[in-house]
Amino acid sequence: MQTPLKIAVVGSGLVGSLLAIYLKKAGHEVHVYDRSPDIRKITFSGRSINLAMSDRGWKALDGVGVGDAVREIAIPMDKRAIHLVDKLNYQQYGKDGESIYSISRGTLNRKMIDLAEAAGAEFYFEQKIWDVTLSDATLHIGETERGEWEDKKYDLVFGADGAFSRVRHRMQRQSMFNYSQEFLNMGYKELHIPANPDGSHKLDKHSFHIWPRGEYMLIALPNLDGSFTCTLFMPFEGENSFAELTNQESVTDFFEKNFPDSIEVIPMLTEDFFKNPTSTLVTMKCFPWTFKDKVALVGDACHAIVPFYGQGMNAGFEDITVLYQLIEKYGDDWQTVFSEYEKERKPNADAIAELSYRNFMEMSTKTADEKFLLQKRIEKHFSEKYPEKWIPLYSRVTFSDRPYTEALAIGDFQNEIMQKILQLENIEQIWDSEWVEQKILAALEQA
Amino acid sequence: MQTPLKIAVVGSGLVGSLLAIYLKKAGHEVHVYDRSPDIRKITFSGRSINLAMSDRGWKALDGVGVGDAVREIAIPMDKRAIHLVDKLNYQQYGKDGESIYSISRGTLNRKMIDLAEAAGAEFYFEQKIWDVTLSDATLHIGETERGEWEDKKYDLVFGADGAFSRVRHRMQRQSMFNYSQEFLNMGYKELHIPANPDGSHKLDKHSFHIWPRGEYMLIALPNLDGSFTCTLFMPFEGENSFAELTNQESVTDFFEKNFPDSIEVIPMLTEDFFKNPTSTLVTMKCFPWTFKDKVALVGDACHAIVPFYGQGMNAGFEDITVLYQLIEKYGDDWQTVFSEYEKERKPNADAIAELSYRNFMEMSTKTADEKFLLQKRIEKHFSEKYPEKWIPLYSRVTFSDRPYTEALAIGDFQNEIMQKILQLENIEQIWDSEWVEQKILAALEQA
């Protein structure tokens, strides 16, 4: 379908490895570079959040025949387990049979590299790319930034090198390159719930566990070995912040008070807390994503988002699905492939960035708001009665491959309707009445 | 007042030179570096827009005793001269005696360097700073980015090196550094109206000349030598864009059709058009602006804005006014000087960025809007009758040194009132009635 080219992929993460598999399918010679050692030969860093694979991710994997291999290391979660201070509630994610899938980032990354190597991609680890000459797709590689560099010329270069991409760094210096990076005043830290002695899970294995507390929260996602990877999200400064938790006692007190049922399942709490780094959360946007028919960015390198919708990897994988559709359509015309790719993906990347940021805002400010909880109750009630007329936003994002832009737009429209419904007199009493349903149906008709 | 330090200022532009004068006043040893040759020894580049000095700029200059030296090279403009296709209107900027001042960027920059040298600052030109070590305020200087570098250690480093600042570039690589750069889809090109043979100006000398045409416009500001510096602002692509004007004929046709009265005063139109570059317009925001008590950014290096409010230089000069107030207040406590400086200036920089961008939007989309013109008419009428109750936004920005944030907030409040006034029945007929005035007064009372 395409004339075979020599292609470099910078970054051996999830999206880079998947891209390598697709490029091999298209018949190219593929070299994948990474500045880090081979992740298959080292222990992982203790700074990851478990992944939640959903429909867009699976579509990209199945599109190149590796979905089943990944399903082997995935655990379905069909619900949230909401740990309040004094009780535990469950909330189903979607319809029966709809789940998101917990996967350890390290395990998946190792698997993806194995699969890419099996497909014929060549991996070069501990190769530091300091700069890229865009006009002739040449990588500049060396031990140090100021030392000797070796030049490697390719036909095409893909930047799959994450939120702090070196490839993008060069593109940023071009005129008319729009760019923004915005850090949240919130960090996260990995913690660990080990398996029971018999290898079973200490908490329900098919739940995404969450301890929501307004401005901070704890989550836990299951691993294959019976353990859970936990992540504490919390502001850096102020009340209930990382800055407040400076010694073993304050950490223990904080968890005992705020996450009482977590204490017995996180035995290494204080050790892990002070051993593991506190990581930052950034939203990065840029445009353009490509340079002529020579260089293109994929995944976090062109759209890094905050993790509160669980869509970072899924959005990156969807880049590759779209890229391959365009390769099938335009063949050797890489110029058109690249320009159509960035044109199609950019608005969708912005939409999921917006949705992810809003989920952070929602979580940190609205979870205690009575009106908001009532709104969610009305939506759920109506959606169960009229499932074709009201697909919840979460399902549009998670259990669908329709564009993120569409999910955002319809979500905004649904929210507009709900704001009017919440104004109705005595809505607290009549929220599940026939009359309110008719009001919603009428509002939907007007669209 | 302060312990004398050895201070480097990177950038010998307007803000860097002014800062050098203030730092000499505070008793320091000051070295100013610039990657370009001494501007006093070269002809200027043909890519500038004349400056419009207003109150904030004068305050900063007078604060260090150099205002009068600059007044010698400034021409007061008390009004806009609005060149419509078939007529010429004048619009006074403020009250009697209020003017903005046209100054050629090159002339002012030469003067500022002379003044800084006279104050004892040392200038080093054609010195390329490639990197800065933030923690010990060390500059890394060399011929090329990849070649040999010389290290120069200082007590403090100021980055006054403009929108594409190398000093900021290093700060950008720190975690938690927020950054955005956004280019307008509009460029600009310098053109030239020469003096008459007797040295007089071809157009009214005390006017800011503007040919507004919606999505594009031409402006002209007077120079001391009888000439005007003109700037054409126009989209890069689309109808009426730089992309359309590709040969002498298309340029001449375009000007004859759209700026008919400019033709006879711009004799070198096509030569200048193709000789001078088309420049870009960027809004750049970032935070933080300082690193501990070692490094601080000033002017465009930390807040580059689009030129449509004429406040870029004025805002940069005001940075220095504020910095010096804090030096007077906190003495040797540079850590506090820097943190108070960025805390006070950042919201104001954001406010003037917003106002400048809105003026671009206003210019490009609203100038032809009847409602908008009516609004301006009502505001003017009311403001002339009740000058204490309604200071127009333009005057708050231009003829005041109150914070930009205040101007923005009051401007928004005024606009809210006006939106309600414009809803009144028959407003087109009754806009200058006593009744409408009473409505505005009542709305102002509610504040």
Side-chain angles (χ1 to χ4, degrees):
Chain A
M1 156 184 74
Q2 283 190 305
T3 309
L5 299 179
K6 202 174 152 191
I7 300 180
V9 176
V10 181
S12 72
L14 304 172
V15 177
S17 305
L18 179 67
L19 173 61
I21 301 173
Y22 270 96
L23 291 174
K24 286 307 300 179
K25 183 179 174 185
H28 302 290
E29 183 178 351
V30 181
H31 294 182
V32 185
Y33 289 89
D34 206 295
R35 56 199 303 115
S36 302
D38 189 343
I39 191 175
R40 294 167 299 185
K41 297 177 182 161
I42 55 167
T43 18
F44 207 54
S45 63
R47 58 189 310 156
S48 85
I49 308 169
N50 262 33
L51 301 163
M53 186 84 71
S54 57
D55 284 30
R56 294 166 207 271
W58 290 120
K59 181 179 174 184
L61 292 167
D62 288 328
V64 71
V66 299
D68 287 342
V70 175
R71 279 184 191 88
E72 289 170 12
I73 55 169
I75 300 174
M77 303 178 288
D78 61 351
K79 58 192 173 302
R80 287 192 195 95
I82 303 172
H83 299 249
L84 303 176
V85 175
D86 52 359
K87 64 179 173 188
L88 178 61
N89 292 334
Y90 292 95
Q91 196 178 67
Q92 197 173 313
Y93 272 123
K95 294 178 289 194
D96 281 349
E98 286 181 333
S99 289
I100 58 176
Y101 291 77
S102 175
I103 309 184
S104 133
R105 179 180 290 270
T107 307
L108 178 58
N109 207 155
R110 290 181 194 104
K111 171 76 79 176
M112 293 299 295
I113 293 173
D114 282 344
L115 291 164
E117 274 190 348
E122 295 168 41
F123 282 73
Y124 300 92
F125 295 100
E126 295 177 73
Q127 298 289 311
K128 293 191 179 118
I129 314 264
W130 295 104
D131 202 355
V132 178
T133 302
L134 303 174
S135 56
D136 65 356
T138 298
L139 304 180
H140 304 290
I141 306 175
E143 265 308 297
T144 66
E145 183 161 19
R146 299 273 302 139
E148 282 290 301
W149 289 351
E150 190 185 354
D151 299 342
K152 298 262 189 189
K153 194 180 165 342
Y154 286 90
D155 297 315
L156 289 182
V157 166
F158 284 94
D161 47 346
F164 303 98
S165 168
R166 275 276 161 171
V167 179
R168 186 193 68 234
H169 198 255
R170 168 53 57 192
M171 291 169 69
Q172 272 170 250
R173 299 214 209 164
Q174 305 252 117
S175 190
M176 301 295 288
F177 191 88
N178 290 330
Y179 178 77
S180 74
Q181 61 183 42
E182 193 176 355
F183 287 83
L184 289 190
N185 182 29
M186 172 174 265
Y188 67 90
K189 192 181 282 285
E190 184 180 324
L191 298 168
H192 187 69
I193 298 175
N196 286 316
D198 65 357
S200 62
H201 287 81
K202 283 190 193 288
L203 303 173
D204 179 70
K205 156 184 187 177
H206 293 297
S207 293
F208 179 114
H209 294 267
I210 176 165
W211 290 255
R213 297 294 183 268
E215 305 235 320
Y216 55 99
M217 69 168 175
L218 181 70
I219 64 171
L221 282 84
N223 294 316
L224 286 180
D225 64 1
S227 69
F228 285 83
T229 301
C230 299
T231 313
L232 172 66
F233 294 93
M234 193 161 60
F236 287 108
E237 312 274 338
E239 205 190 352
N240 299 318
S241 72
F242 283 109
E244 298 278 295
L245 304 184
T246 53
N247 55 41
Q248 300 208 347
E249 197 189 339
S250 57
V251 171
T252 310
D253 285 356
F254 181 81
F255 273 72
E256 272 174 353
K257 182 177 159 208
N258 296 297
F259 312 122
D261 65 338
S262 79
I263 287 286
E264 61 176 8
V265 296
I266 312 183
M268 304 287 281
L269 173 61
T270 56
E271 291 84 345
D272 282 354
F273 192 93
F274 293 106
K275 187 186 73 194
N276 290 338
T278 307
S279 302
T280 58
L281 296 161
V282 69
T283 300
M284 190 285 301
K285 299 179 182 178
C286 67
F287 199 79
W289 290 4
T290 66
F291 180 86
K292 296 184 179 166
D293 59 350
K294 288 293 171 197
V295 180
L297 304 172
V298 294
D300 280 5
C302 46
H303 53 86
I305 62 181
V306 294
F308 304 106
Y309 226 113
Q311 285 293 311
M313 170 191 58
N314 289 289
F317 277 15
E318 197 173 57
D319 289 348
I320 310 304
T321 300
V322 169
L323 201 53
Y324 194 76
Q325 284 165 353
L326 294 166
I327 285 172
E328 287 186 310
K329 188 166 175 187
Y330 296 109
D332 285 334
D333 181 2
W334 283 97
Q335 174 78 70
T336 303
V337 169
F338 282 1
S339 67
E340 290 296 309
Y341 159 69
E342 65 181 15
K343 199 164 85 184
E344 178 165 346
R345 289 305 287 163
K346 170 64 175 166
N348 286 299
D350 286 347
I352 191 60
E354 172 68 18
L355 288 165
S356 303
Y357 182 74
R358 284 190 197 174
N359 251 24
F360 158 69
M361 294 294 287
E362 203 167 289
M363 197 186 73
S364 55
T365 62
K366 290 193 184 160
T367 42
D369 178 42
E370 281 301 321
K371 276 269 169 179
F372 178 75
L373 295 173
L374 176 61
Q375 176 180 345
K376 291 289 148 191
R377 217 151 54 228
I378 300 170
E379 284 182 49
K380 184 164 191 292
H381 176 78
F382 184 82
S383 154
E384 279 168 359
K385 195 146 175 187
Y386 301 95
E388 276 76 48
K389 289 186 190 290
W390 194 284
I391 301 171
L393 177 57
Y394 184 85
S395 295
R396 289 185 188 277
V397 169
T398 309
F399 303 123
S400 158
D401 65 354
R402 299 286 307 164
Y404 288 126
T405 48
E406 183 183 289
L408 178 60
I410 296 175
D412 281 348
F413 174 62
Q414 289 176 336
N415 194 46
E416 249 171 60
I417 293 176
M418 277 297 142
Q419 291 313 311
K420 282 182 200 139
I421 297 294
L422 289 171
Q423 304 289 322
L424 296 173
E425 210 168 323
N426 281 325
I427 185 66
E428 288 83 357
Q429 281 73 50
I430 60 167
W431 66 273
D432 57 353
S433 66
E434 179 80 21
W435 187 73
V436 167
E437 282 170 34
Q438 290 304 322
K439 285 271 174 197
I440 301 175
L441 286 168
L444 284 169
E445 287 294 316
Q446 284 169 22
Chain B
M1 158 183 75
Q2 283 191 305
T3 309
L5 298 179
K6 204 176 150 190
I7 300 180
V9 176
V10 181
S12 71
L14 303 172
V15 177
S17 304
L18 179 67
L19 173 61
I21 301 173
Y22 270 95
L23 291 173
K24 286 308 299 179
K25 184 180 174 185
H28 302 289
E29 184 179 349
V30 181
H31 294 182
V32 184
Y33 288 89
D34 206 296
R35 58 198 303 114
S36 302
D38 188 342
I39 191 176
R40 294 168 298 185
K41 296 177 182 162
I42 54 164
T43 18
F44 207 54
S45 64
R47 60 189 308 158
S48 84
I49 307 169
N50 262 33
L51 302 163
M53 186 84 71
S54 56
D55 284 30
R56 295 166 206 271
W58 291 120
K59 182 179 174 184
L61 292 167
D62 288 328
V64 72
V66 299
D68 288 342
V70 174
R71 280 183 190 89
E72 290 171 11
I73 54 168
I75 299 174
M77 303 178 291
D78 61 352
K79 59 192 172 301
R80 287 194 193 94
I82 303 173
H83 298 248
L84 304 177
V85 175
D86 52 358
K87 64 180 171 184
L88 178 62
N89 293 333
Y90 292 94
Q91 196 177 67
Q92 196 173 315
Y93 271 125
K95 292 178 290 194
D96 282 347
E98 285 181 335
S99 288
I100 59 175
Y101 292 76
S102 175
I103 310 185
S104 132
R105 179 179 290 268
T107 307
L108 178 59
N109 207 154
R110 290 181 195 106
K111 170 76 79 177
M112 294 299 296
I113 294 173
D114 282 343
L115 291 164
E117 273 190 348
E122 294 168 42
F123 281 75
Y124 300 92
F125 295 100
E126 297 177 70
Q127 298 290 311
K128 293 186 179 126
I129 314 267
W130 296 105
D131 202 355
V132 178
T133 303
L134 302 174
S135 56
D136 63 357
T138 297
L139 305 180
H140 305 290
I141 305 174
E143 264 307 297
T144 65
E145 183 160 18
R146 299 273 301 138
E148 283 290 302
W149 290 351
E150 191 185 353
D151 298 343
K152 299 263 189 189
K153 193 182 166 337
Y154 286 89
D155 298 314
L156 289 182
V157 166
F158 284 93
D161 48 345
F164 302 99
S165 168
R166 275 275 160 173
V167 179
R168 186 192 68 232
H169 199 254
R170 168 52 58 190
M171 290 169 70
Q172 272 170 249
R173 300 213 208 164
Q174 305 252 117
S175 190
M176 300 296 286
F177 191 88
N178 290 330
Y179 179 78
S180 74
Q181 61 183 43
E182 193 177 352
F183 287 83
L184 290 190
N185 182 28
M186 172 175 266
Y188 68 89
K189 191 180 283 285
E190 185 182 323
L191 297 169
H192 187 68
I193 299 176
N196 286 317
D198 66 355
S200 63
H201 287 80
K202 283 188 193 289
L203 302 173
D204 180 71
K205 158 185 187 177
H206 293 298
S207 294
F208 180 113
H209 293 267
I210 177 166
W211 290 255
R213 298 292 182 269
E215 306 233 321
Y216 55 99
M217 70 168 173
L218 182 68
I219 63 170
L221 282 85
N223 294 316
L224 286 179
D225 66 359
S227 69
F228 284 83
T229 301
C230 299
T231 313
L232 173 67
F233 293 93
M234 194 161 61
F236 286 108
E237 312 272 338
E239 206 189 351
N240 300 320
S241 72
F242 283 108
E244 298 278 295
L245 304 184
T246 53
N247 54 41
Q248 301 208 344
E249 197 188 339
S250 58
V251 172
T252 310
D253 285 356
F254 182 80
F255 273 71
E256 272 173 355
K257 182 176 160 209
N258 296 297
F259 311 122
D261 65 338
S262 80
I263 287 287
E264 62 177 8
V265 296
I266 311 182
M268 304 287 281
L269 172 62
T270 54
E271 291 85 343
D272 283 354
F273 193 94
F274 292 107
K275 188 187 73 192
N276 289 339
T278 307
S279 302
T280 58
L281 296 161
V282 70
T283 300
M284 190 283 303
K285 298 179 183 178
C286 66
F287 199 80
W289 290 5
T290 66
F291 180 85
K292 298 186 177 165
D293 59 351
K294 288 294 171 199
V295 180
L297 304 172
V298 293
D300 281 5
C302 46
H303 52 85
I305 62 180
V306 294
F308 304 107
Y309 227 113
Q311 286 293 311
M313 170 192 57
N314 289 289
F317 277 15
E318 197 173 57
D319 288 349
I320 310 305
T321 300
V322 169
L323 201 53
Y324 195 75
Q325 285 165 353
L326 294 166
I327 285 172
E328 287 187 309
K329 188 165 175 188
Y330 296 109
D332 284 336
D333 182 2
W334 282 98
Q335 173 80 68
T336 303
V337 169
F338 281 1
S339 67
E340 290 296 308
Y341 159 70
E342 66 181 14
K343 201 165 84 185
E344 178 167 345
R345 290 305 288 162
K346 170 65 174 166
N348 285 298
D350 286 348
I352 191 60
E354 172 69 19
L355 288 166
S356 303
Y357 182 73
R358 283 190 198 174
N359 251 24
F360 157 69
M361 294 294 287
E362 206 169 288
M363 199 186 71
S364 55
T365 61
K366 289 193 186 159
T367 42
D369 179 38
E370 280 302 321
K371 276 269 171 182
F372 178 74
L373 295 174
L374 176 61
Q375 176 178 346
K376 290 290 150 191
R377 217 151 53 226
I378 300 170
E379 284 182 48
K380 184 164 191 291
H381 176 78
F382 185 81
S383 156
E384 278 168 2
K385 196 145 175 188
Y386 301 95
E388 276 75 49
K389 289 186 190 289
W390 194 283
I391 300 171
L393 177 58
Y394 185 84
S395 294
R396 289 185 188 278
V397 170
T398 309
F399 303 123
S400 157
D401 64 354
R402 300 285 308 162
Y404 288 126
T405 49
E406 184 183 287
L408 177 61
I410 296 175
D412 281 348
F413 174 63
Q414 289 177 336
N415 192 46
E416 248 172 60
I417 293 176
M418 277 297 141
Q419 292 312 312
K420 281 180 202 141
I421 296 294
L422 288 171
Q423 305 287 323
L424 296 173
E425 210 169 319
N426 281 325
I427 184 66
E428 288 82 358
Q429 280 73 51
I430 59 167
W431 66 273
D432 57 354
S433 66
E434 180 80 19
W435 187 74
V436 168
E437 282 170 34
Q438 291 303 324
K439 286 272 174 194
I440 300 174
L441 287 167
L444 285 168
E445 287 296 314
Q446 286 169 21

